[in-house]
Amino acid sequence: MRKVSVYDTTLRDGEQTPGISFPLNYKIQIAKQLDKLGVDYIEAGFPAATKGEFEAVKEIVKLGLNSKISALARLVKEDIDVAMKTDVDMIHIFVPTSKIQVEHTIKKDREEIIQEAVRYVEYIKDHGFECMFSAMDATRTEVDYLKRIYKAVEEAGVDIINVPDTVGVATPFSMYELIKELKEHLKVPVDVHCHNDFGLATANTYAAVKAGADEVQVTVNGIGERAGNACLAEVVMALHALEGIKTNIRTEYLVETSRLVERLSGIKLPPNTPIVGENAFAHESGIHAHGVLKHAATFEPGVITPEMVGHKRRIVIGKHAGRHQIKKILEDAGYAVDEETLTKITEKIKEIGDKGKKVTDLDVITIAEVIMGELSKEERVINIDEATILTGNKITPTAVINAIIDGKKKVTSAIGVGPVDAALKAVAELVGEDVKITEFKMDAISGGSDAIAEVYVTVEDKEGRSFTAKGASTDIVMASIEAVISAVNYLLRMRRKNA
């Protein structure tokens, strides 16, 4: 079975995303996660760029990870010497080769560039390091010249050559032809590095592998210069699921890795991001949801499941919802409804959705109870008696909550990074460690300093059952508490009804 290597450059090219600068502790967290994910190479940085960059690469090397560590260097002896001092496994050297970049950046004779490339490959190999060579802007470089410089470094002992689509102008067709031609000309392994200026980075990387590329350069969430790089999750899953081409990636950690980089980079992923996005396995349309509830492959690719990438399938309620998904939510909560009642509930949900409102699981059950005349019979397992929140410049945010659970008084307290975090942790303590908050979102639904905040939370128990609810208040903290308590109450009631 064919296998390709994965070279991750999140810590180098990914950090070149405008607005991103990872401090050392973030870089270490990301490096450890990439190692857990199973990438073959981690490009830890550009040591000659700054003193901090040099120290960060050295510290990552000291972690003793299973992934090999690579450092970037220009075709400059001082850069290469600095990179060597970090004790990385591989030194990745690059030089511009396209006419436009040679004329306007390094302004060297193109024969001289080949000679220098050979000299520094030999220099790196003589010092016992692996060497990767990149002809920068390869996809705008004449193919004959590319072949010459790549053949020259191959004969000098380079371990792998990289073909960068530096400004993202390749197409899957042109990339396929280029890699195919280079593979016929070279014996050394070929790697590709694709940028996403036209949204083709993943497609170009995929095409390169189809043409024979041995390694792919990617970043987590596709972050990187300008429009970013080829996305690790997309490339890996396209190869695994569509082509049966394997990598060493432990795909069950893809979502976990994506969310870590999302949090540390501050770049929020659109919910419709393939593979790892919030909506990647979410279904609202009644037709789709009905099919998925019967057999997941009806409206999902089939060759990939949410569990494969560390995700979960979600059936979302909205104006496109169908009777089957609404009935499923009610049955899970212990309610049996006849067809006439189900029709009324469905119509009411669609009416709310038409007004632009988000419909939560709790809304479905509340609507059902009102229509069935059972709202007055609601028994809350948990009732908040009093909540006190302490916060300030020199005060660790602390929440103290007095509650009544099944008729018994209970007091809990917790600290957090902010008042909302502290409050949510205190609420979670009320019901024990088997219930956790998996999602938290907030929207202001009116303007001004007294804006009403609408908070949505999803709570999950140890059996994997989850429930979404919302709270609304001019006090963000109380809206959060209200939402969590509502979700936990219904989750507990669901558990007891089905016991």
Side-chain angles (χ1 to χ4, degrees), residues 80-142:
I80 295 168
D81 287 340
V82 170
M84 286 180 179
K85 290 177 182 177
T86 64
D87 294 322
V88 291
D89 300 290
M90 172 183 278
I91 296 175
H92 175 194
I93 54 174
F94 69 97
V95 66
T97 55
S98 66
K99 282 185 178 180
I100 188 170
Q101 288 201 357
V102 170
E103 290 173 7
H104 294 281
T105 58
I106 59 174
K107 298 180 180 179
K108 289 186 178 181
D109 180 85
R110 298 180 94 192
E111 292 303 317
E112 182 187 356
I113 291 171
I114 293 177
Q115 293 169 12
E116 286 191 351
V118 168
R119 180 164 69 251
Y120 287 120
V121 167
E122 291 175 342
Y123 181 68
I124 290 166
K125 293 303 295 178
D126 287 346
H127 283 77
F129 293 87
E130 292 181 42
C131 181
M132 173 188 283
F133 174 78
S134 287
M136 190 159 73
D137 206 13
T139 53
R140 292 197 297 180
T141 302
E142 306 95 313

Short mmCIF file of all heavy atoms in Angstrom, two decimals, residues 80-142:
data_model
loop_
_atom_site.label_atom_id
_atom_site.label_comp_id
_atom_site.label_asym_id
_atom_site.label_seq_id
_atom_site.Cartn_x
_atom_site.Cartn_y
_atom_site.Cartn_z
N ILE A 80 22.56 28.95 7.73
CA ILE A 80 22.72 27.50 7.88
C ILE A 80 23.47 27.17 9.16
O ILE A 80 23.10 26.24 9.89
CB ILE A 80 23.44 26.93 6.63
CG1 ILE A 80 22.54 27.11 5.40
CG2 ILE A 80 23.78 25.45 6.84
CD1 ILE A 80 23.23 26.85 4.08
N ASP A 81 24.50 27.94 9.48
CA ASP A 81 25.27 27.70 10.70
C ASP A 81 24.40 27.89 11.95
O ASP A 81 24.49 27.12 12.91
CB ASP A 81 26.48 28.64 10.77
CG ASP A 81 27.57 28.25 9.79
OD1 ASP A 81 27.57 27.08 9.34
OD2 ASP A 81 28.41 29.10 9.47
N VAL A 82 23.56 28.91 11.94
CA VAL A 82 22.65 29.13 13.07
C VAL A 82 21.68 27.96 13.21
O VAL A 82 21.42 27.47 14.31
CB VAL A 82 21.87 30.46 12.89
CG1 VAL A 82 20.75 30.56 13.93
CG2 VAL A 82 22.80 31.65 13.02
N ALA A 83 21.15 27.49 12.08
CA ALA A 83 20.22 26.35 12.11
C ALA A 83 20.90 25.11 12.66
O ALA A 83 20.30 24.34 13.43
CB ALA A 83 19.68 26.08 10.70
N MET A 84 22.17 24.89 12.28
CA MET A 84 22.91 23.73 12.78
C MET A 84 23.06 23.76 14.30
O MET A 84 23.04 22.71 14.96
CB MET A 84 24.30 23.68 12.13
CG MET A 84 24.29 23.24 10.67
SD MET A 84 25.98 23.21 10.02
CE MET A 84 25.68 22.65 8.34
N LYS A 85 23.19 24.94 14.86
CA LYS A 85 23.38 25.07 16.31
C LYS A 85 22.15 24.65 17.11
O LYS A 85 22.23 24.45 18.32
CB LYS A 85 23.76 26.51 16.66
CG LYS A 85 25.16 26.90 16.20
CD LYS A 85 25.45 28.36 16.51
CE LYS A 85 26.84 28.76 15.99
NZ LYS A 85 27.12 30.20 16.22
N THR A 86 21.01 24.52 16.45
CA THR A 86 19.79 24.09 17.16
C THR A 86 19.70 22.57 17.27
O THR A 86 18.82 22.04 17.95
CB THR A 86 18.53 24.59 16.43
OG1 THR A 86 18.47 23.99 15.13
CG2 THR A 86 18.53 26.11 16.31
N ASP A 87 20.59 21.85 16.56
CA ASP A 87 20.61 20.37 16.58
C ASP A 87 19.36 19.73 16.00
O ASP A 87 18.93 18.65 16.45
CB ASP A 87 20.85 19.84 18.01
CG ASP A 87 22.23 20.20 18.53
OD1 ASP A 87 23.18 20.17 17.73
OD2 ASP A 87 22.35 20.51 19.72
N VAL A 88 18.76 20.38 15.01
CA VAL A 88 17.60 19.79 14.34
C VAL A 88 18.04 18.57 13.53
O VAL A 88 19.24 18.34 13.31
CB VAL A 88 16.91 20.81 13.40
CG1 VAL A 88 16.23 21.90 14.19
CG2 VAL A 88 17.92 21.39 12.41
N ASP A 89 17.06 17.80 13.08
CA ASP A 89 17.35 16.63 12.25
C ASP A 89 17.60 17.03 10.80
O ASP A 89 18.43 16.44 10.11
CB ASP A 89 16.18 15.64 12.30
CG ASP A 89 15.91 15.15 13.71
OD1 ASP A 89 16.73 14.39 14.24
OD2 ASP A 89 14.87 15.56 14.27
N MET A 90 16.82 18.02 10.33
CA MET A 90 16.88 18.42 8.92
C MET A 90 17.02 19.92 8.80
O MET A 90 16.43 20.68 9.58
CB MET A 90 15.62 17.96 8.20
CG MET A 90 15.49 18.49 6.77
SD MET A 90 13.93 18.00 5.98
CE MET A 90 14.35 16.34 5.45
N ILE A 91 17.80 20.35 7.80
CA ILE A 91 17.87 21.77 7.46
C ILE A 91 17.26 21.94 6.08
O ILE A 91 17.66 21.28 5.12
CB ILE A 91 19.31 22.30 7.52
CG1 ILE A 91 19.82 22.21 8.97
CG2 ILE A 91 19.37 23.74 7.02
CD1 ILE A 91 21.24 22.58 9.15
N HIS A 92 16.27 22.82 6.01
CA HIS A 92 15.52 23.08 4.78
C HIS A 92 16.03 24.39 4.19
O HIS A 92 15.78 25.45 4.75
CB HIS A 92 14.03 23.15 5.12
CG HIS A 92 13.15 23.54 3.98
ND1 HIS A 92 11.83 23.93 4.17
CD2 HIS A 92 13.36 23.60 2.64
CE1 HIS A 92 11.28 24.21 3.00
NE2 HIS A 92 12.21 24.02 2.06
N ILE A 93 16.76 24.31 3.08
CA ILE A 93 17.29 25.51 2.45
C ILE A 93 16.46 25.86 1.23
O ILE A 93 15.89 24.99 0.57
CB ILE A 93 18.78 25.35 2.06
CG1 ILE A 93 19.01 24.10 1.21
CG2 ILE A 93 19.65 25.33 3.32
CD1 ILE A 93 20.42 23.96 0.68
N PHE A 94 16.40 27.16 0.93
CA PHE A 94 15.60 27.61 -0.21
C PHE A 94 16.29 28.78 -0.90
O PHE A 94 17.07 29.52 -0.30
CB PHE A 94 14.20 28.02 0.24
CG PHE A 94 14.16 29.29 1.06
CD1 PHE A 94 13.87 30.51 0.46
CD2 PHE A 94 14.42 29.27 2.42
CE1 PHE A 94 13.84 31.68 1.20
CE2 PHE A 94 14.39 30.44 3.18
CZ PHE A 94 14.10 31.65 2.58
N VAL A 95 15.96 28.93 -2.18
CA VAL A 95 16.48 30.05 -2.96
C VAL A 95 15.48 30.33 -4.08
O VAL A 95 14.89 29.41 -4.65
CB VAL A 95 17.88 29.73 -3.54
CG1 VAL A 95 17.81 28.61 -4.58
CG2 VAL A 95 18.53 30.97 -4.12
N PRO A 96 15.25 31.60 -4.41
CA PRO A 96 14.36 31.92 -5.54
C PRO A 96 14.94 31.39 -6.84
O PRO A 96 16.14 31.46 -7.08
CB PRO A 96 14.33 33.45 -5.54
CG PRO A 96 14.71 33.84 -4.15
CD PRO A 96 15.70 32.81 -3.70
N THR A 97 14.05 30.88 -7.72
CA THR A 97 14.50 30.37 -9.02
C THR A 97 13.72 30.95 -10.19
O THR A 97 14.17 30.84 -11.33
CB THR A 97 14.38 28.83 -9.06
OG1 THR A 97 13.05 28.44 -8.73
CG2 THR A 97 15.37 28.17 -8.10
N SER A 98 12.55 31.53 -9.96
CA SER A 98 11.79 32.13 -11.06
C SER A 98 12.47 33.42 -11.50
O SER A 98 13.11 34.11 -10.70
CB SER A 98 10.34 32.41 -10.65
OG SER A 98 10.30 33.42 -9.65
N LYS A 99 12.31 33.77 -12.76
CA LYS A 99 12.96 34.98 -13.29
C LYS A 99 12.56 36.22 -12.51
O LYS A 99 13.39 37.05 -12.16
CB LYS A 99 12.61 35.15 -14.77
CG LYS A 99 13.39 34.26 -15.70
CD LYS A 99 13.08 34.58 -17.15
CE LYS A 99 13.92 33.70 -18.09
NZ LYS A 99 13.63 34.00 -19.52
N ILE A 100 11.26 36.34 -12.21
CA ILE A 100 10.78 37.56 -11.54
C ILE A 100 11.38 37.69 -10.14
O ILE A 100 11.76 38.79 -9.71
CB ILE A 100 9.23 37.59 -11.50
CG1 ILE A 100 8.76 38.95 -10.98
CG2 ILE A 100 8.66 36.45 -10.66
CD1 ILE A 100 7.26 39.16 -11.14
N GLN A 101 11.51 36.57 -9.42
CA GLN A 101 12.07 36.66 -8.07
C GLN A 101 13.59 36.84 -8.10
O GLN A 101 14.14 37.59 -7.29
CB GLN A 101 11.69 35.42 -7.26
CG GLN A 101 10.22 35.39 -6.87
CD GLN A 101 9.94 34.48 -5.69
OE1 GLN A 101 10.82 33.80 -5.17
NE2 GLN A 101 8.70 34.47 -5.23
N VAL A 102 14.26 36.16 -9.02
CA VAL A 102 15.72 36.31 -9.12
C VAL A 102 16.07 37.76 -9.47
O VAL A 102 16.97 38.37 -8.87
CB VAL A 102 16.30 35.34 -10.18
CG1 VAL A 102 17.77 35.67 -10.45
CG2 VAL A 102 16.16 33.90 -9.70
N GLU A 103 15.35 38.35 -10.44
CA GLU A 103 15.65 39.71 -10.89
C GLU A 103 15.35 40.77 -9.84
O GLU A 103 16.04 41.78 -9.76
CB GLU A 103 14.86 40.01 -12.17
CG GLU A 103 15.36 39.24 -13.39
CD GLU A 103 14.45 39.43 -14.60
OE1 GLU A 103 13.52 40.27 -14.51
OE2 GLU A 103 14.67 38.75 -15.62
N HIS A 104 14.32 40.53 -9.03
CA HIS A 104 13.88 41.59 -8.12
C HIS A 104 14.22 41.32 -6.65
O HIS A 104 13.94 42.17 -5.80
CB HIS A 104 12.37 41.79 -8.26
CG HIS A 104 11.98 42.32 -9.61
ND1 HIS A 104 12.10 43.64 -9.97
CD2 HIS A 104 11.49 41.67 -10.70
CE1 HIS A 104 11.68 43.79 -11.22
NE2 HIS A 104 11.30 42.62 -11.69
N THR A 105 14.80 40.18 -6.34
CA THR A 105 15.15 39.92 -4.93
C THR A 105 16.66 39.68 -4.78
O THR A 105 17.39 40.57 -4.33
CB THR A 105 14.35 38.74 -4.35
OG1 THR A 105 14.59 37.56 -5.15
CG2 THR A 105 12.86 39.03 -4.33
N ILE A 106 17.15 38.50 -5.17
CA ILE A 106 18.56 38.20 -4.91
C ILE A 106 19.50 38.73 -5.99
O ILE A 106 20.70 38.91 -5.75
CB ILE A 106 18.79 36.69 -4.70
CG1 ILE A 106 18.35 35.90 -5.94
CG2 ILE A 106 18.09 36.21 -3.45
CD1 ILE A 106 18.69 34.42 -5.85
N LYS A 107 19.00 38.98 -7.21
CA LYS A 107 19.79 39.57 -8.30
C LYS A 107 21.12 38.85 -8.53
O LYS A 107 22.19 39.47 -8.57
CB LYS A 107 20.04 41.06 -8.02
CG LYS A 107 18.76 41.89 -7.94
CD LYS A 107 19.02 43.33 -7.67
CE LYS A 107 17.71 44.12 -7.59
NZ LYS A 107 17.93 45.56 -7.29
N LYS A 108 21.05 37.53 -8.64
CA LYS A 108 22.24 36.72 -8.90
C LYS A 108 22.12 36.03 -10.25
O LYS A 108 21.01 35.83 -10.77
CB LYS A 108 22.42 35.66 -7.80
CG LYS A 108 22.84 36.22 -6.45
CD LYS A 108 23.12 35.11 -5.47
CE LYS A 108 23.58 35.68 -4.13
NZ LYS A 108 23.90 34.61 -3.15
N ASP A 109 23.27 35.67 -10.81
CA ASP A 109 23.29 34.89 -12.03
C ASP A 109 22.70 33.52 -11.75
O ASP A 109 22.98 32.90 -10.72
CB ASP A 109 24.73 34.76 -12.53
CG ASP A 109 24.81 33.95 -13.80
OD1 ASP A 109 24.63 34.53 -14.88
OD2 ASP A 109 25.04 32.72 -13.69
N ARG A 110 21.89 33.00 -12.65
CA ARG A 110 21.18 31.75 -12.40
C ARG A 110 22.13 30.55 -12.37
O ARG A 110 21.84 29.55 -11.70
CB ARG A 110 20.06 31.55 -13.42
CG ARG A 110 19.02 32.68 -13.30
CD ARG A 110 17.90 32.51 -14.28
NE ARG A 110 16.80 31.80 -13.69
CZ ARG A 110 15.78 31.30 -14.40
NH1 ARG A 110 15.76 31.43 -15.70
NH2 ARG A 110 14.81 30.66 -13.80
N GLU A 111 23.27 30.64 -13.05
CA GLU A 111 24.26 29.57 -12.95
C GLU A 111 24.93 29.61 -11.58
O GLU A 111 25.22 28.56 -10.98
CB GLU A 111 25.31 29.72 -14.06
CG GLU A 111 24.77 29.46 -15.46
CD GLU A 111 24.14 28.08 -15.58
OE1 GLU A 111 24.72 27.10 -15.07
OE2 GLU A 111 23.05 27.98 -16.17
N GLU A 112 25.12 30.81 -11.08
CA GLU A 112 25.70 30.98 -9.75
C GLU A 112 24.77 30.39 -8.68
O GLU A 112 25.23 29.80 -7.70
CB GLU A 112 25.94 32.47 -9.48
CG GLU A 112 26.60 32.76 -8.13
CD GLU A 112 26.67 34.24 -7.82
OE1 GLU A 112 26.29 35.07 -8.68
OE2 GLU A 112 27.11 34.57 -6.70
N ILE A 113 23.47 30.55 -8.89
CA ILE A 113 22.50 29.99 -7.93
C ILE A 113 22.63 28.48 -7.86
O ILE A 113 22.62 27.90 -6.77
CB ILE A 113 21.06 30.40 -8.33
CG1 ILE A 113 20.86 31.90 -8.12
CG2 ILE A 113 20.03 29.61 -7.52
CD1 ILE A 113 19.55 32.42 -8.68
N ILE A 114 22.79 27.83 -9.01
CA ILE A 114 22.95 26.37 -9.02
C ILE A 114 24.22 25.97 -8.28
O ILE A 114 24.23 25.04 -7.46
CB ILE A 114 22.97 25.83 -10.47
CG1 ILE A 114 21.59 26.02 -11.13
CG2 ILE A 114 23.36 24.35 -10.48
CD1 ILE A 114 21.53 25.58 -12.58
N GLN A 115 25.31 26.70 -8.52
CA GLN A 115 26.58 26.40 -7.86
C GLN A 115 26.48 26.55 -6.35
O GLN A 115 26.98 25.72 -5.58
CB GLN A 115 27.69 27.30 -8.42
CG GLN A 115 28.04 27.03 -9.87
CD GLN A 115 28.93 28.10 -10.47
OE1 GLN A 115 29.47 28.94 -9.75
NE2 GLN A 115 29.09 28.06 -11.79
N GLU A 116 25.81 27.62 -5.90
CA GLU A 116 25.65 27.84 -4.46
C GLU A 116 24.76 26.77 -3.84
O GLU A 116 25.01 26.31 -2.72
CB GLU A 116 25.08 29.23 -4.21
CG GLU A 116 26.06 30.35 -4.44
CD GLU A 116 25.54 31.69 -3.93
OE1 GLU A 116 24.34 31.76 -3.56
OE2 GLU A 116 26.32 32.65 -3.92
N ALA A 117 23.70 26.38 -4.57
CA ALA A 117 22.81 25.34 -4.05
C ALA A 117 23.58 24.05 -3.82
O ALA A 117 23.44 23.40 -2.77
CB ALA A 117 21.66 25.11 -5.03
N VAL A 118 24.42 23.68 -4.79
CA VAL A 118 25.23 22.47 -4.66
C VAL A 118 26.19 22.59 -3.49
O VAL A 118 26.33 21.66 -2.67
CB VAL A 118 26.00 22.20 -5.97
CG1 VAL A 118 27.07 21.13 -5.76
CG2 VAL A 118 25.04 21.80 -7.08
N ARG A 119 26.85 23.75 -3.38
CA ARG A 119 27.84 23.95 -2.32
C ARG A 119 27.21 23.81 -0.93
O ARG A 119 27.77 23.15 -0.04
CB ARG A 119 28.50 25.32 -2.47
CG ARG A 119 29.54 25.61 -1.38
CD ARG A 119 30.45 26.77 -1.74
NE ARG A 119 29.76 28.06 -1.74
CZ ARG A 119 29.48 28.76 -2.83
NH1 ARG A 119 29.79 28.27 -4.03
NH2 ARG A 119 28.86 29.92 -2.75
N TYR A 120 26.03 24.40 -0.75
CA TYR A 120 25.44 24.37 0.59
C TYR A 120 24.75 23.05 0.91
O TYR A 120 24.66 22.66 2.08
CB TYR A 120 24.50 25.56 0.77
CG TYR A 120 25.29 26.86 0.93
CD1 TYR A 120 25.13 27.91 0.05
CD2 TYR A 120 26.23 26.97 1.95
CE1 TYR A 120 25.87 29.07 0.18
CE2 TYR A 120 26.97 28.14 2.09
CZ TYR A 120 26.79 29.18 1.21
OH TYR A 120 27.55 30.32 1.35
N VAL A 121 24.26 22.35 -0.10
CA VAL A 121 23.77 20.99 0.15
C VAL A 121 24.92 20.13 0.64
O VAL A 121 24.80 19.39 1.64
CB VAL A 121 23.13 20.38 -1.11
CG1 VAL A 121 22.90 18.87 -0.92
CG2 VAL A 121 21.79 21.06 -1.43
N GLU A 122 26.05 20.21 -0.03
CA GLU A 122 27.23 19.43 0.38
C GLU A 122 27.70 19.84 1.77
O GLU A 122 28.07 18.99 2.59
CB GLU A 122 28.36 19.63 -0.64
CG GLU A 122 28.07 18.99 -1.98
CD GLU A 122 29.13 19.28 -3.03
OE1 GLU A 122 29.90 20.26 -2.84
OE2 GLU A 122 29.17 18.55 -4.04
N TYR A 123 27.63 21.13 2.05
CA TYR A 123 28.04 21.66 3.36
C TYR A 123 27.16 21.07 4.49
O TYR A 123 27.66 20.62 5.52
CB TYR A 123 27.94 23.18 3.34
CG TYR A 123 28.36 23.87 4.62
CD1 TYR A 123 29.69 23.86 5.04
CD2 TYR A 123 27.43 24.57 5.40
CE1 TYR A 123 30.08 24.52 6.21
CE2 TYR A 123 27.80 25.22 6.55
CZ TYR A 123 29.12 25.19 6.95
OH TYR A 123 29.50 25.84 8.11
N ILE A 124 25.86 21.06 4.25
CA ILE A 124 24.93 20.52 5.25
C ILE A 124 25.14 19.02 5.43
O ILE A 124 25.20 18.52 6.56
CB ILE A 124 23.47 20.83 4.83
CG1 ILE A 124 23.20 22.33 4.95
CG2 ILE A 124 22.47 20.03 5.68
CD1 ILE A 124 21.92 22.79 4.26
N LYS A 125 25.28 18.31 4.32
CA LYS A 125 25.46 16.86 4.41
C LYS A 125 26.80 16.50 5.06
O LYS A 125 26.88 15.53 5.83
CB LYS A 125 25.38 16.23 3.01
CG LYS A 125 24.01 16.33 2.36
CD LYS A 125 22.91 15.69 3.20
CE LYS A 125 23.09 14.20 3.35
NZ LYS A 125 22.05 13.58 4.21
N ASP A 126 27.83 17.30 4.80
CA ASP A 126 29.14 17.05 5.43
C ASP A 126 29.08 17.21 6.94
O ASP A 126 29.90 16.63 7.66
CB ASP A 126 30.19 18.01 4.86
CG ASP A 126 30.60 17.64 3.44
OD1 ASP A 126 30.29 16.51 3.00
OD2 ASP A 126 31.22 18.50 2.76
N HIS A 127 28.11 17.99 7.43
CA HIS A 127 27.97 18.20 8.88
C HIS A 127 26.97 17.23 9.51
O HIS A 127 26.62 17.37 10.69
CB HIS A 127 27.55 19.64 9.16
CG HIS A 127 28.70 20.62 9.04
ND1 HIS A 127 29.18 21.04 7.82
CD2 HIS A 127 29.47 21.22 9.99
CE1 HIS A 127 30.19 21.89 8.02
NE2 HIS A 127 30.38 22.00 9.33
N GLY A 128 26.48 16.26 8.73
CA GLY A 128 25.67 15.19 9.30
C GLY A 128 24.18 15.46 9.43
O GLY A 128 23.49 14.74 10.16
N PHE A 129 23.68 16.46 8.73
CA PHE A 129 22.25 16.77 8.80
C PHE A 129 21.52 16.28 7.54
O PHE A 129 22.12 16.21 6.46
CB PHE A 129 22.03 18.29 8.90
CG PHE A 129 22.51 18.89 10.19
CD1 PHE A 129 23.83 19.30 10.33
CD2 PHE A 129 21.65 19.05 11.27
CE1 PHE A 129 24.29 19.87 11.50
CE2 PHE A 129 22.10 19.61 12.46
CZ PHE A 129 23.42 20.02 12.58
N GLU A 130 20.25 15.96 7.69
CA GLU A 130 19.42 15.75 6.51
C GLU A 130 19.22 17.10 5.83
O GLU A 130 19.24 18.15 6.50
CB GLU A 130 18.05 15.17 6.89
CG GLU A 130 18.08 13.75 7.42
CD GLU A 130 16.68 13.26 7.75
OE1 GLU A 130 15.74 13.53 6.95
OE2 GLU A 130 16.50 12.61 8.80
N CYS A 131 19.01 17.08 4.52
CA CYS A 131 18.85 18.34 3.79
C CYS A 131 17.67 18.27 2.83
O CYS A 131 17.52 17.33 2.05
CB CYS A 131 20.13 18.66 3.02
SG CYS A 131 20.04 20.22 2.09
N MET A 132 16.83 19.29 2.91
CA MET A 132 15.76 19.50 1.93
C MET A 132 16.11 20.76 1.14
O MET A 132 16.52 21.76 1.72
CB MET A 132 14.41 19.67 2.61
CG MET A 132 13.28 20.06 1.64
SD MET A 132 11.73 20.46 2.48
CE MET A 132 11.15 18.82 2.89
N PHE A 133 15.90 20.71 -0.16
CA PHE A 133 16.16 21.89 -1.00
C PHE A 133 14.87 22.33 -1.69
O PHE A 133 14.17 21.52 -2.31
CB PHE A 133 17.22 21.59 -2.07
CG PHE A 133 17.40 22.73 -3.04
CD1 PHE A 133 18.13 23.85 -2.68
CD2 PHE A 133 16.79 22.71 -4.29
CE1 PHE A 133 18.28 24.92 -3.56
CE2 PHE A 133 16.92 23.77 -5.17
CZ PHE A 133 17.67 24.88 -4.81
N SER A 134 14.58 23.64 -1.59
CA SER A 134 13.40 24.22 -2.24
C SER A 134 13.81 25.24 -3.29
O SER A 134 14.59 26.16 -3.00
CB SER A 134 12.51 24.93 -1.21
OG SER A 134 11.83 24.02 -0.40
N ALA A 135 13.29 25.07 -4.50
CA ALA A 135 13.42 26.08 -5.54
C ALA A 135 12.20 26.99 -5.40
O ALA A 135 11.11 26.66 -5.87
CB ALA A 135 13.45 25.43 -6.92
N MET A 136 12.39 28.12 -4.70
CA MET A 136 11.25 28.97 -4.39
C MET A 136 10.60 29.52 -5.65
O MET A 136 11.29 29.92 -6.59
CB MET A 136 11.67 30.12 -3.47
CG MET A 136 10.50 30.89 -2.90
SD MET A 136 10.90 31.81 -1.40
CE MET A 136 11.87 33.14 -2.05
N ASP A 137 9.27 29.52 -5.67
CA ASP A 137 8.47 29.94 -6.82
C ASP A 137 8.66 28.96 -7.97
O ASP A 137 8.69 29.36 -9.16
CB ASP A 137 8.83 31.36 -7.24
CG ASP A 137 7.68 32.07 -7.96
OD1 ASP A 137 6.54 31.56 -7.91
OD2 ASP A 137 7.92 33.11 -8.58
N ALA A 138 8.75 27.68 -7.62
CA ALA A 138 9.01 26.63 -8.62
C ALA A 138 7.96 26.61 -9.72
O ALA A 138 8.28 26.36 -10.89
CB ALA A 138 9.06 25.27 -7.94
N THR A 139 6.71 26.88 -9.39
CA THR A 139 5.64 26.76 -10.39
C THR A 139 5.64 27.91 -11.39
O THR A 139 4.90 27.87 -12.37
CB THR A 139 4.26 26.65 -9.72
OG1 THR A 139 4.09 27.74 -8.80
CG2 THR A 139 4.13 25.34 -8.97
N ARG A 140 6.48 28.95 -11.15
CA ARG A 140 6.65 30.01 -12.14
C ARG A 140 8.08 29.99 -12.72
O ARG A 140 8.51 30.96 -13.34
CB ARG A 140 6.35 31.39 -11.53
CG ARG A 140 4.89 31.59 -11.18
CD ARG A 140 4.56 33.06 -10.96
NE ARG A 140 5.31 33.61 -9.83
CZ ARG A 140 5.19 34.89 -9.43
NH1 ARG A 140 4.37 35.71 -10.07
NH2 ARG A 140 5.89 35.33 -8.40
N THR A 141 8.78 28.89 -12.46
CA THR A 141 10.14 28.72 -12.97
C THR A 141 10.10 27.83 -14.21
O THR A 141 9.34 26.86 -14.25
CB THR A 141 11.04 28.07 -11.90
OG1 THR A 141 11.03 28.89 -10.72
CG2 THR A 141 12.46 27.91 -12.39
N GLU A 142 10.94 28.16 -15.22
CA GLU A 142 10.99 27.32 -16.42
C GLU A 142 11.35 25.89 -16.03
O GLU A 142 12.27 25.66 -15.25
CB GLU A 142 12.04 27.84 -17.41
CG GLU A 142 11.86 29.29 -17.78
CD GLU A 142 12.73 30.19 -16.92
OE1 GLU A 142 12.73 30.00 -15.68
OE2 GLU A 142 13.39 31.07 -17.47
#
